[in-house]
Amino acid sequence: MKIGIFYENESTTWGPGKVAVNLKRGLEELGIEYENNEKGDYNILLHGGSCVGIFLEKKLDPKKTLIGPCVEAFMGDNTILSENYENYVAASPWHKDLYENYSKISKGEKTVFYWPCGIDTEFYKPFEKANKYHDYLLYDKNSHANYHYWLRDFFNDKGQNMSYALGNTNYENIGLKAYSDCSKYCISANASETQGFGIMEIMSMNLPIFCLDKNYHWSYGLIASKVESSSCPYFSEECGIMLHMKDYVNDYQSKFDKIKPPCGDIIDYAKCNEEFKINLLKEKFDLFLNNLESYSPRQYILDNHTLKRGAQKLIDIFEQM
């Protein structure tokens, strides 16, 4: 078997680029051949952009070709993709639901799978002699400034000190390793993620996660609306504690149902003390701290999301087509 991988570029600091890097390394571990932007026995279009033209020139067999997971779900101007291909892959269960329920490729005529790309567990592994002289690493990618400072105040009031705050869309890999090594756990307060490489790499560094999951995404693609989502699509109780917004936000469902686009967020992050169930957050955080030694997030990643396992999951999808 040879896999044709079509992609725009490789990167270790940009999620879609990391999918290309990690998939190829996983296939190498499996001993499976691949071609870069050339036809294989099975093919996958990882990215949109400039590689779509190259992809279309190859006239690939639709029954042996996957579109996604880093191709715009609604295809944008590339309607030729949705007209000619029938198998699609999303990055996570909520992302799959988005494809099936809102996109141009829905209507029950297409098959949508979901596939998590593997994590580099050899690079992202804890240093055995690391000095955990900080309490937590804050990962609040794409969150509001008001929320960021409220989080820091909240956990400072609980006597916890922060090592670093990872935000926005890019991060430097050595830095993530270093900040993870000097921290005892991670507080995740991201906006929504289709897969969430960063938080999975932090798990691979064996940091327990206290996750304040954000369960909606605004104005995705062409639907210009809110959709149900997750900021940590891959998680297990062995990784820590995850709180969903319906649990920790006052009147979450009514707020989600009521607001129509175009709009901002359903939460007023300038009034977190009013928007959140503070006593519940304190209770769950205390439970998290009291059980810190019992969590094993790295084992969860090793059991489910290594480079090799990620590549094998893609091969399994090809074999189902």
Side-chain angles (χ1 to χ4, degrees):
M1 178 187 290
K2 182 179 293 185
I3 308 301
I5 306 174
F6 292 81
Y7 61 95
E8 191 165 23
N9 57 53
E10 300 178 42
S11 171
T12 58
T13 60
W14 175 59
K18 187 170 285 189
V19 172
V21 172
N22 287 12
L23 171 58
K24 292 200 293 185
R25 291 186 56 197
L27 291 172
E28 289 167 4
E29 290 190 20
L30 286 175
I32 293 177
E33 294 183 67
Y34 60 83
E35 293 283 354
N36 298 314
N37 293 313
E38 293 289 345
K39 181 179 179 179
D41 299 313
Y42 290 92
N43 305 281
I44 183 167
L45 174 63
L46 293 180
H47 301 162
S50 61
C51 65
V52 173
I54 299 172
F55 171 83
L56 292 172
E57 287 175 1
K58 304 300 178 180
K59 302 187 184 304
L60 305 173
D61 183 352
K63 296 186 181 299
K64 295 186 176 182
T65 302
L66 275 172
I67 309 295
C70 308
V71 179
E72 168 56 48
F74 305 90
M75 301 305 164
D77 295 329
N78 295 317
T79 53
I80 190 171
L81 294 174
S82 56
E83 290 171 354
N84 291 280
Y85 291 92
E86 57 194 63
N87 294 298
Y88 297 81
V89 61
S92 61
W94 81 260
H95 198 215
K96 178 178 183 288
D97 289 344
L98 175 73
Y99 273 47
E100 292 179 327
N101 296 327
Y102 294 98
S103 78
K104 291 181 179 179
I105 66 170
S106 57
K107 314 303 182 189
E109 300 173 357
K110 311 292 185 178
T111 301
V112 184
F113 303 91
Y114 74 86
W115 166 63
C117 187
I119 302 301
D120 186 350
T121 54
E122 283 303 302
F123 184 84
Y124 292 103
K125 62 182 179 182
F127 177 50
E128 293 180 1
K129 298 181 180 180
N131 182 2
K132 303 283 187 177
Y133 53 88
H134 288 292
D135 292 310
Y136 69 93
L137 170 65
L138 177 59
Y139 191 40
D140 64 341
K141 171 184 165 184
N142 292 337
S143 71
H144 290 257
N146 287 328
Y147 190 30
H148 172 93
Y149 289 110
W150 181 87
L151 287 164
R152 294 181 65 170
D153 288 343
F154 180 86
F155 292 106
N156 286 345
D157 288 346
K158 298 291 291 179
Q160 303 296 293
N161 67 81
M162 183 183 75
S163 62
Y164 192 76
L166 290 171
N168 252 328
T169 55
N170 290 336
Y171 58 86
E172 196 272 322
N173 300 293
I174 296 295
L176 187 148
K177 281 172 59 82
Y179 300 131
S180 296
D181 271 331
C182 70
S183 305
K184 298 172 186 173
Y185 62 89
C186 173
I187 294 165
S188 173
N190 289 353
S192 57
E193 296 271 11
T194 51
Q195 173 170 341
F197 269 110
I199 197 66
M200 294 175 78
E201 288 162 351
I202 292 170
M203 290 178 188
S204 185
M205 291 291 296
N206 209 35
L207 265 65
I209 311 296
F210 187 73
C211 179
L212 298 175
D213 194 18
K214 183 170 183 178
N215 298 121
Y216 61 91
H217 186 111
W218 283 113
S219 300
Y220 203 115
L222 302 182
I223 65 171
S225 182
K226 60 185 184 294
V227 296
E228 294 184 358
S229 64
S230 175
S231 56
C232 191
Y234 295 98
F235 193 82
S236 162
E237 289 184 353
E238 64 190 294
C239 299
I241 288 180
M242 174 186 284
L243 293 179
H244 298 288
M245 297 190 86
K246 64 181 176 63
D247 299 320
Y248 68 86
V249 170
N250 289 312
D251 302 317
Y252 169 74
Q253 194 62 52
S254 64
K255 292 173 181 175
F256 183 86
D257 293 339
K258 190 179 298 182
I259 296 184
K260 306 297 181 184
C263 53
D265 280 280
I266 65 174
I267 306 300
D268 183 351
Y269 287 103
K271 300 178 180 178
C272 290
N273 284 331
E274 299 172 23
E275 296 279 10
F276 297 153
K277 299 175 182 177
I278 302 299
N279 289 337
L280 174 69
L281 291 180
K282 290 179 178 178
E283 174 191 337
K284 294 298 185 180
F285 183 63
D286 288 342
L287 178 65
F288 173 75
L289 286 184
N290 290 336
N291 290 280
L292 206 57
E293 299 302 318
S294 68
Y295 301 120
S296 51
R298 179 168 172 81
Q299 192 60 50
Y300 165 73
I301 296 295
L302 291 173
D303 289 343
N304 298 281
H305 297 292
T306 61
L307 295 174
K308 188 174 182 179
R309 287 183 183 275
Q312 183 60 58
K313 289 175 183 177
L314 183 64
I315 298 302
D316 294 342
I317 291 172
F318 282 134
E319 292 177 346
Q320 293 177 53
M321 289 163 47

